Amino acid sequence: MATYFGILGVTDVRRNGVLLDMGHAVQRRVLAALLVEADRTVSADALVDRVWQDTTVTNGRTKLYGYVSRLRQLLAAEGIALARERGGYRLAVDPMLVDVHRFRNLVGLARRADADEQAEALWGEALGLWRGVAFAGFDTPWFNAQRDLLDGERLAAQLELVDVRLRLAQHDRLVSELLALAAVHPLDERVAGQLMLALYRCGRQAEALEGYERARRRLAEELGVDPGTELRRLHARILAADPELAVVGVGAPPSAAKQADGDGRAGEAGEVVSLANTKGRQLAPRLLPADLALFVGREDELNDVNRLFDGGAPSPVTLLVTGPAGVGKTAFAVRAGHRLASRFPGGQLHADLRGFGDEPAEPFTVLGTFLRALGTSGGSVPAELLDRIHLYRTLLAQRRVLVVLDNAADAAQVRDLMPSGEHCATLITSRTTLAEVNGRRVTLGVLNSSMGLALLREMLGPERTDAEPDSARSIVETCGGLPLAVWVAGARLAARPHWPLAKVARALADGQRKLDELTVGHIAVRASLGLTYQGMAPVTQHALQLLTLLPRPDFAAWTLAALLDVGLSEAESVLDDLVEVHLVQTEPVGVTGSRYQLHDLIRLFAREHADQSLSYEDCTAALDRLLGASLHLTDLAADTLSVDFQGTSQKHLASWYLAQADTDHLLTDPLAWFGEERQFLIGVTEQALDRAETAPAVGLATALTAFFQVGSHFDDWARLQNRALKAALSRGDEHSASKVHRCLGELTTILDRYQEALHHFEQALLLAEGHGPTYRASATAGLAYVHRLLGQYERAVLHFKEAVDLARSAGNVNCLVYATNGLGVIDLEQGRVEAAVARFTECLRASQVSGYLPGEAQALRCLGQSHRARGAYQSAADAYRQAATISEHLGDRLTATHATCWLGDVLVRLGEHDEGRRLLARSLWAYREYGNLWGEAATLYALAEAQLAVGRPALARRRAEAAIRVWRHIGSRRWLAIGLDTLAKAHAMAGDHDAALRIREEATSSKGR
């Protein structure tokens, strides 16, 4: 005989009926955790988490190794292997030898049984495997969650067995069992309905009605809701002594009770019978479910619905209410239906089409229900679908009736149910967009935080909610505003008044448990999403799983193209399918056409399926393609901008990239593309660093430099590249570290942190040895620029000249222009104006030939400075305006501000004082926004000169003193001397000649140092 394993009770192992000793409780917990995944690998971290509650337990892995080793010895004696595999452990046992897997297998067989007698035997065998509470004696969060899950499966099996026995006319023996179940599950409407039906069939109609009232009061008191549609319908049928509630024939197959009879009427649990004939008068059907006691928000949408019918709007009207699972479409339709009811005196028809369930409602059956509700006697309901459609439309032709079709799968399911009468209206809800149906559309999104809190407050009462406002807010935020999720969380708390809100808030904050926590009774967010998921094509399911790998919930279509290894148009087609069923949200944006988003709960749901379906290799390959596409697109976009003087491509590091046509489509406006993708690209880089893909991750981080610089995203620049530098150094990747040091040198130069900048450029040079002249050229040019800013001209000239030679040998035009321009600035600052002009003109010509726009803007700014030094202020103004135009075209606000600042200065010198001061004031605020100290000081200096030009020495003095403080802090001797000269002129103009003389002496001393 085989060895059998049990976890549906005390965890044990038996061979030939003899109990085997599997060690103490902790060792048996390890065994149980492995049995739940029989013959599947469980990671060591997962086992530690299951057995000891978390992966940080002291010596958790060490303890686990010991228990696994002892279990392996015990099981080996029974011929069972406990194998160590990549990533964890696998208990190589046939799942059918484990009671929980056998139970689930029998449940599946019972549901597919051909006859009730066979189903009863299978259900009985399945439930007979239970020996008590699952995982008895084990108390960790994971085992508790598994126990709750299995308890739910056990209850479902018990109730399905009751259904079978009711069909087999065993109602007399079920009453006591159902009374016990109702006591344990007083809020379960299915139990209440089964008990009512059993009592009614036993001739105890009054007790059945009392059972309904008891359930109704309990639901109202504890959850604040009314009984559901099915329970209310059963109550109405018992009140009417409906003969169709008689016992179904013994031995019929399970599906027989659900099949339509000859005139289309459902069997034992069918639709509500029409009460149409009362004293010979036809009553208007009122099939809408009761209006909801709990309903918040959606006032704007409800008002839009009302306006459709104001002023005698032409009919028929079709209203389509769409949105994702759990967003509240049914609740909205019921509320809207009741608000509109008075406009439709001919009645209201309602059907739950169960479009995403296992058994969607057939139009044939729904038409039978509607026809009987409209007064057609059972024998007069046509037997053919087409005849039913014709009769239905004829009856509605002269009536004003509202038809509510809830939870439709597609257009085909509703087409025959839509009235054609000019006075009728149809309200349809669906998880799909129902693009083939014409009508007014209302798309429901998630609730905002205030509406979510209002719903929770309605369920729990203001006192309880307001007592824990932070926890209440956390619950709503963690539910992502999804009404079903908020309702489920609230229902759990309402049923447990002793629970603090913080308990549920903490449980929901655990991403691994969130979907488990969002379950109450038979209502679960996971199950609701699952119905949509099951109806999707395999490729769409696969795409949804892959989307969970993305570092952010919002994304563009090209990212799915990379994950799926397909072209952009194919990815967009798959996304259209996901949008159609509202599992992915979309909104139009400028460059990529559409941007998509996964709701947090849908992401968790998809992650569960991904964990079951995607292998480690699948995930790694998909993420490598995503990283490659991100790197390739970013590098191409940066090349188009030509902003970074480094001038080195990173495309060779990309392992996957889109076709050129797709790339050209995406990068028509590179700067706008980056604006939409910035946070996503940062996330991809960080994700790659987490996966130790250092070289391509560093390549992407450095490719982003141009965009960080243009957009002044200095915080992102510093945080991402410092992390990339740490990763490169820790892995000994000197080449990658050299690239990051060079980029960080540029950043710290812009931020006026010159000593840090010198360190980064020197390290970049040191680590670039042996990697060719390209990286050495850009690092040397950066080093030279910092020395120039510090007034260390000899060192600056030496490094600039070396950078020119290196850039020429590497063919790096960007760096060549940058270094040549640097030499020209030194010429200008040392009074060699003509030599400077020659260098700047050379840079301008080279930049224009190569299309290097930032080099062209820089050369024009420097030519402007040369004209200013000559006193040719109009020529200077023209050059500054051209430079500002180019920088603004590039989206580079910082370099545009450089040009605008000096344009303001020369306009003042040209006598255009108001416009000049306006531009200078604007530049000052821009520099302060960027945190650019050098630019701030230069603008303060120019403002001081402007005040002197209009005879305001006091204001000039204050501006000059502020500039001098900045230049002292930065350590720029040349500009400190210039600022001191201006301050001396201000004192002299104010008549304080002694102070002026003293300050001029300091200025001379500063120049000499």
Side-chain angles (χ1 to χ4, degrees):
M1 289 182 66
T3 301
Y4 290 91
F5 299 81
I7 56 179
L8 300 179
V10 175
T11 298
D12 62 21
V13 181
R14 296 176 183 269
R15 184 172 181 80
N16 298 328
V18 178
L19 183 66
L20 304 180
D21 183 7
M22 288 292 113
H24 56 71
V26 177
Q27 191 160 298
R28 284 187 290 109
R29 287 209 300 265
V30 175
L31 174 62
L34 289 164
L35 288 171
V36 171
E37 306 285 345
D39 207 31
R40 294 176 60 183
T41 302
V42 184
S43 72
D45 284 343
L47 284 171
V48 172
D49 179 58
R50 295 174 183 186
V51 175
W52 287 283
Q53 303 183 25
D54 64 72
T55 57
T56 61
V57 63
T58 304
N59 298 325
R61 279 180 172 258
T62 303
K63 293 178 180 179
L64 177 66
Y65 297 152
Y67 291 125
V68 168
S69 178
R70 287 190 286 275
L71 278 174
R72 182 181 289 119
Q73 295 174 12
L74 291 170
L75 293 169
E78 304 303 320
I80 298 167
L82 176 51
R84 176 78 169 99
E85 295 187 347
R86 182 181 179 183
Y89 300 91
R90 180 174 64 89
L91 184 57
V93 60
D94 182 354
M96 291 303 100
L97 299 178
V98 184
D99 57 6
V100 67
H101 300 294
R102 180 164 175 75
F103 166 75
R104 287 169 171 164
N105 181 64
L106 288 166
V107 164
L109 294 172
R111 287 174 176 155
R112 296 189 297 272
D114 294 325
D116 278 335
E117 291 86 353
Q118 180 187 6
E120 181 187 27
L122 289 167
W123 285 118
E125 183 181 354
L127 289 165
L129 294 171
W130 285 77
R131 297 169 288 109
V133 177
F135 308 112
F138 296 170
D139 184 20
T140 72
W142 185 83
F143 280 113
N144 293 338
Q146 290 293 310
R147 184 182 297 113
D148 290 344
L149 176 66
L150 287 169
D151 285 347
E153 293 181 40
R154 183 184 191 182
L155 176 61
Q158 289 173 316
L159 298 186
E160 294 204 44
L161 176 56
V162 168
D163 283 340
V164 171
R165 287 176 174 168
L166 282 170
R167 292 196 295 270
L168 291 172
Q170 298 176 10
H171 41 271
D172 54 344
R173 55 182 281 201
L174 285 173
V175 171
S176 58
E177 177 183 344
L178 286 168
L179 284 169
L181 273 174
V184 177
H185 304 284
L187 299 177
D188 194 304
E189 294 184 38
R190 186 177 179 187
V191 174
Q194 289 175 333
L195 177 58
M196 289 166 60
L197 186 59
L199 287 168
Y200 178 79
R201 288 181 174 176
C202 290
R204 298 158 67 176
Q205 182 181 19
E207 292 180 63
L209 295 173
E210 287 175 5
Y212 175 82
E213 283 302 311
R214 188 164 50 250
R216 185 191 63 78
R217 286 195 304 271
R218 195 68 177 264
L219 287 166
E221 292 168 0
E222 297 198 24
L223 298 183
V225 298
D226 293 322
T229 303
E230 294 301 321
L231 196 61
R232 291 199 308 274
R233 286 177 177 173
L234 179 60
H235 178 242
R237 295 176 70 187
I238 292 174
L239 280 172
D242 188 347
E244 291 184 5
L245 290 181
V247 179
V248 177
V250 177
S255 58
K258 300 176 184 177
Q259 294 172 345
D261 59 20
D263 64 6
R265 290 174 295 180
E268 178 242 323
E271 296 81 16
V272 177
V273 294
S274 172
L275 304 178
N277 293 305
T278 302
K279 297 181 180 179
R281 179 170 54 86
Q282 174 67 41
L283 296 179
R286 300 281 190 255
L287 301 192
L288 276 176
D291 201 1
L292 301 171
L294 289 173
F295 189 92
V296 300
R298 310 296 192 199
E299 285 303 317
D300 289 344
E301 293 90 343
L302 287 169
N303 290 335
D304 288 342
V305 172
N306 284 333
R307 280 192 286 272
L308 275 177
F309 301 92
D310 289 340
S315 294
V317 173
T318 300
L319 182 68
L320 305 168
V321 180
T322 62
V327 83
K329 299 181 295 296
T330 296
F332 180 85
V334 170
R335 174 56 59 93
H338 280 281
R339 285 197 178 185
L340 296 172
S342 62
R343 302 172 187 262
F344 296 94
Q348 303 88 46
L349 300 173
H350 174 274
D352 180 1
L353 301 183
R354 306 187 300 277
F356 295 87
D358 293 332
E359 297 180 2
E362 293 291 338
F364 180 87
T365 305
V366 176
L367 284 167
T369 301
F370 285 178
L371 289 172
R372 288 193 297 276
L374 291 166
T376 306
S377 63
S380 300
V381 175
E384 299 296 329
L385 174 62
L386 188 59
D387 293 335
R388 290 188 178 199
I389 295 170
H390 290 164
L391 178 57
Y392 172 63
R393 289 177 177 167
T394 299
L395 290 174
L396 294 186
Q398 301 303 320
R399 304 190 191 191
R400 188 179 291 276
V401 174
L402 173 66
V403 179
V404 179
L405 304 174
D406 190 25
N407 199 14
D410 50 34
Q413 195 181 23
V414 300
R415 189 175 295 115
D416 296 335
L417 303 176
M418 296 171 64
S420 57
E422 62 177 339
H423 303 296
C424 295
T426 311
L427 195 163
I428 305 171
T429 75
S430 180
R431 298 180 187 185
T432 74
T433 60
L434 292 180
E436 299 174 8
V437 179
N438 293 323
R440 294 289 296 272
R441 297 179 181 274
V442 174
T443 302
L444 298 183
V446 298
L447 299 174
N448 60 35
S449 58
S450 61
M451 287 297 98
L453 284 169
L455 176 57
L456 198 63
R457 185 175 288 107
E458 286 290 319
M459 299 185 73
L460 304 180
E463 296 83 3
R464 189 175 177 193
T465 308
D466 295 343
E468 296 183 74
D470 292 340
S471 295
R473 193 174 301 107
S474 174
I475 289 170
V476 172
E477 290 174 354
T478 310
C479 290
L482 193 67
L484 176 62
V486 176
W487 185 91
V488 170
R492 294 191 72 204
L493 284 164
R496 299 164 177 83
H498 59 286
W499 275 16
L501 272 64
K503 177 181 177 71
V504 170
R506 284 194 301 271
L508 290 177
D510 183 347
Q512 294 182 340
R513 294 174 54 196
K514 186 184 294 186
L515 288 177
D516 294 324
E517 293 294 328
L518 291 176
T519 302
V520 60
H522 60 279
I523 301 173
V525 173
R526 180 188 282 110
S528 181
L529 295 173
L531 293 175
T532 304
Y533 182 82
Q534 291 164 14
M536 295 181 345
V539 66
T540 315
Q541 293 177 344
H542 183 57
L544 185 65
Q545 295 166 14
L546 287 173
L547 288 175
T548 66
L549 301 176
L550 296 179
R552 290 180 58 83
D554 62 299
F555 58 94
W558 65 267
T559 64
L560 181 60
L563 294 174
L564 285 173
D565 194 12
V566 298
L568 186 60
S569 61
E570 186 174 344
E572 289 172 337
S573 177
V574 174
L575 283 167
D576 286 343
D577 292 340
L578 286 167
V579 170
E580 170 74 15
V581 293
H582 292 282
L583 286 182
V584 167
Q585 309 280 330
T586 184
E587 62 177 353
V589 291
V591 178
T592 55
S594 293
R595 196 152 192 88
Y596 303 87
Q597 187 164 17
L598 274 181
H599 188 282
D600 183 48
L601 293 176
I602 294 174
R603 187 182 180 91
L604 286 174
F605 170 84
R607 181 74 253 177
E608 291 182 346
H609 287 273
D611 289 341
Q612 296 172 6
S613 303
L614 299 179
S615 67
Y616 174 82
E617 290 73 18
D618 291 335
C619 296
T620 299
L623 289 173
D624 284 346
R625 291 193 296 272
L626 177 65
L627 176 57
S630 301
L631 174 54
H632 190 259
L633 284 169
T634 302
D635 197 75
L636 282 176
D639 282 351
T640 304
L641 288 178
S642 298
V643 173
D644 185 14
F645 73 80
Q646 181 170 324
T648 54
S649 173
Q650 307 296 319
K651 288 189 289 291
H652 65 283
L653 296 170
S655 60
W656 189 92
Y657 46 86
L658 290 162
Q660 183 172 346
D662 291 339
T663 301
D664 292 343
H665 169 71
L666 290 172
L667 299 182
T668 53
D669 187 342
L671 196 60
W673 175 81
F674 171 73
E676 294 166 14
E677 300 291 359
R678 175 168 61 95
Q679 292 300 332
F680 185 87
L681 294 169
I682 290 171
V684 171
T685 309
E686 293 179 325
Q687 188 180 56
L689 291 171
D690 290 339
R691 298 191 300 121
E693 296 289 340
T694 308
V698 166
L700 179 53
T702 55
L704 289 168
T705 296
F707 295 104
F708 289 150
Q709 181 175 345
V710 167
S712 301
H713 301 294
F714 301 137
D715 289 343
D716 289 340
W717 187 350
R719 181 178 57 80
L720 185 66
Q721 292 192 359
N722 274 305
R723 186 182 172 196
L725 177 61
K726 183 178 179 181
L729 292 173
S730 67
R731 296 184 68 84
D733 186 348
E734 293 186 350
H735 185 42
S736 294
S738 172
K739 291 190 285 186
V740 186
H741 269 304
R742 210 287 303 161
C743 295
L744 287 172
E746 178 71 6
L747 171 62
T748 48
T749 300
I750 292 171
L751 297 178
D752 304 306
R753 303 205 300 261
Y754 299 142
Q755 295 307 314
E756 288 182 55
L758 288 174
H759 167 74
H760 282 300
F761 285 128
E762 288 166 353
Q763 289 299 307
L765 273 174
L766 180 65
L767 297 173
E769 287 296 329
H771 293 292
T774 297
Y775 296 102
R776 288 169 54 216
S778 60
T780 303
L783 188 64
Y785 186 79
V786 179
H787 283 303
R788 181 189 72 75
L789 289 175
L790 291 171
Q792 299 167 356
Y793 291 123
E794 289 184 5
R795 292 184 182 181
V797 169
L798 179 66
H799 289 309
F800 272 135
K801 288 181 176 178
E802 183 182 358
V804 166
D805 293 339
L806 288 167
R808 280 203 181 100
S809 65
N812 188 336
V813 176
N814 292 17
C815 188
L816 177 62
V817 168
Y818 182 86
T820 303
N821 193 86
L823 289 169
V825 172
I826 293 174
D827 284 334
L828 180 61
E829 291 179 347
Q830 292 191 330
R832 298 186 294 273
V833 178
E834 297 309 316
V837 169
R839 291 191 191 275
F840 298 148
T841 302
E842 178 187 349
C843 290
L844 180 62
R845 184 170 52 251
S847 297
Q848 290 172 335
V849 169
S850 65
Y852 180 33
L853 292 176
E856 185 176 348
Q858 185 182 42
L860 285 166
R861 288 197 310 274
C862 292
L863 282 170
Q865 294 290 67
S866 301
H867 295 316
R868 176 179 174 275
R870 290 167 164 171
Y873 298 135
Q874 189 58 60
S875 297
D878 293 340
Y880 290 138
R881 286 191 180 99
Q882 292 180 60
T885 299
I886 293 172
S887 294
E888 287 165 0
H889 169 73
L890 290 170
D892 190 345
R893 289 179 58 208
L894 184 58
T895 57
T897 302
H898 294 335
T900 303
C901 170
W902 292 112
L903 175 60
D905 173 78
V906 297
L907 288 178
V908 169
R909 296 172 189 273
L910 285 168
E912 299 179 35
H913 301 293
D914 291 342
E915 177 64 8
R917 286 199 302 272
R918 186 186 69 81
L919 291 178
L920 288 169
R922 192 176 78 182
S923 300
L924 180 63
W925 285 111
Y927 281 129
R928 284 175 174 168
E929 179 185 348
Y930 296 135
N932 188 290
L933 294 177
W934 188 94
E936 180 181 346
T939 310
L940 289 167
Y941 154 75
L943 282 167
E945 290 285 327
Q947 298 298 344
L948 288 176
V950 294
R952 296 175 178 171
L955 285 174
R957 188 182 70 244
R958 287 200 292 273
R959 298 293 192 185
E961 287 172 345
I964 288 166
R965 284 195 295 272
V966 174
W967 279 321
R968 287 191 195 279
H969 171 73
I970 291 174
S972 177
R973 294 199 304 271
R974 177 177 180 273
W975 281 99
L976 174 60
I978 291 173
L980 289 168
D981 280 338
T982 300
L983 181 59
K985 285 190 288 184
H987 279 288
M989 183 178 288
D992 189 351
H993 298 288
D994 290 340
L997 180 60
R998 185 174 66 256
I999 292 168
R1000 283 197 179 96
E1001 289 175 353
E1002 183 183 355
T1004 302
S1005 174
S1006 178
K1007 291 175 184 176
R1009 285 200 297 272

